[in-house]
Amino acid sequence: WAALGLRASGSPAGNALGYLVAHEEGLSQLTDVELVALAESALGRKPVRLLARIDAAQRPNGRIGPTVNSTVWGILALRQAREPAPRAAVRFVLHHQARNGGWAWYAGGQPDSNDTAAALQALRSAGLTGRPVRRGLNYLMRLRNPDGGFELTPGRGSDAQSTAWAVQAFVAARRPVPRGAIAYLRRLRRPDGSFRYSKRYVTTPVWVTSQVLPALARRPFPLSAPSGTRGAR
């Protein structure tokens, strides 16, 4: 996450790439494989071994790995590496859009802002437009609060990460960022440069800050989209 945040903000990532490559063999969860593949590609390396693991995890019904979430991140990892989005995976994600327009991390689960925003970025990276995207954005807007922030699920209150994800989704959809969202994030900045999780809590500051940076830079995933699209396979 730190590497992606630094890359999105245009800041040097130190030897993050070398560290990620050196620890590839220790990745056991597919979503970790996908996240590291995304980061390595964003830092300029083709993660061939990780992409092979993602390809091997594809199922006949389009699912990549065990969940909707792993399918979404599989699409994002492939697109960041300038590989086409599998058509079946895109259909799988579309099929699991809930009636309220959102997405959950697993089939049949309760939708939330973070997974919805990630799904929207994946679909947009595959060239999708139209009603599914509009429904997803409308769902996110129902999780927007008067303070300008977004919440994970109804009633939880605004938090930095949910707000950052929502910003990325609107940017990916080429829609205006909801008014007050960026201001909400900036109000959470602490004197040391990190960001609070929320007005009430300070927790996991490196993770929170890493996820806020792409939103402040208005850069969705994948961070460096190919020129044009190669379509879906």
Side-chain angles (χ1 to χ4, degrees), residues 94-105:
L94 287 171
H95 179 72
H96 286 87
Q97 186 173 26
R99 294 178 65 179
N100 63 9
W103 277 268
W105 69 271

Side-chain angles (χ1 to χ4, degrees), residues 153-173:
T153 54
R156 287 180 60 98
S158 300
D159 70 79
Q161 287 165 296
S162 297
T163 304
W165 280 110
V167 168
Q168 286 184 288
F170 277 87
V171 174

Side-chain angles (χ1 to χ4, degrees), residues 198-209:
S198 67
K199 183 178 179 180
R200 185 175 181 182
Y201 297 110
V202 177
T203 183
T204 58
V206 175
W207 185 27
V208 172
T209 303

Side-chain angles (χ1 to χ4, degrees), residues 4-165:
L4 289 168
L6 291 168
R7 176 68 177 81
S9 65
S11 302
N15 193 35
L17 179 58
Y19 178 90
L20 292 173
V21 173
H23 291 81
E24 285 183 354
E25 295 302 323
L27 301 172
S28 58
Q29 300 296 319
L30 183 63
T31 48
D32 290 336
V33 170
E34 294 162 339
L35 180 63
V36 172
L38 188 76
E40 288 187 15
S41 294
L43 293 173
R45 179 181 186 270
K46 187 88 166 185
V48 177
R49 290 180 297 180
L50 300 182
L51 294 175
R53 291 177 66 176
I54 295 170
D55 284 337
Q58 295 184 39
R59 302 292 180 259
N61 68 348
R63 192 183 73 210
I64 302 174
T67 62
V68 176
N69 176 266
S70 60
T71 305
V72 165
W73 283 98
I75 294 172
L76 288 171
L78 290 168
R79 295 302 294 136
Q80 184 72 66
R82 302 197 174 200
E83 295 291 331
R87 289 185 183 275
V90 173
R91 288 195 297 268
F92 180 86
V93 173
L94 287 171
H95 179 72
H96 286 87
Q97 186 173 26
R99 294 178 65 179
N100 63 9
W103 277 268
W105 69 271
Y106 64 98
Q110 179 186 12
D112 63 80
S113 60
N114 297 16
D115 286 291
T116 297
L120 288 171
Q121 290 172 79
L123 293 175
R124 288 291 299 128
S125 76
L128 266 291
T129 58
R131 188 168 181 266
V133 174
R134 290 194 302 271
R135 291 180 63 220
L137 294 177
N138 288 338
Y139 169 79
L140 289 177
M141 287 301 292
R142 292 197 292 275
L143 296 176
R144 180 172 177 251
N145 290 313
D147 60 8
F150 288 74
E151 56 192 359
L152 179 66
T153 54
R156 287 180 60 98
S158 300
D159 70 79
Q161 287 165 296
S162 297
T163 304
W165 280 110

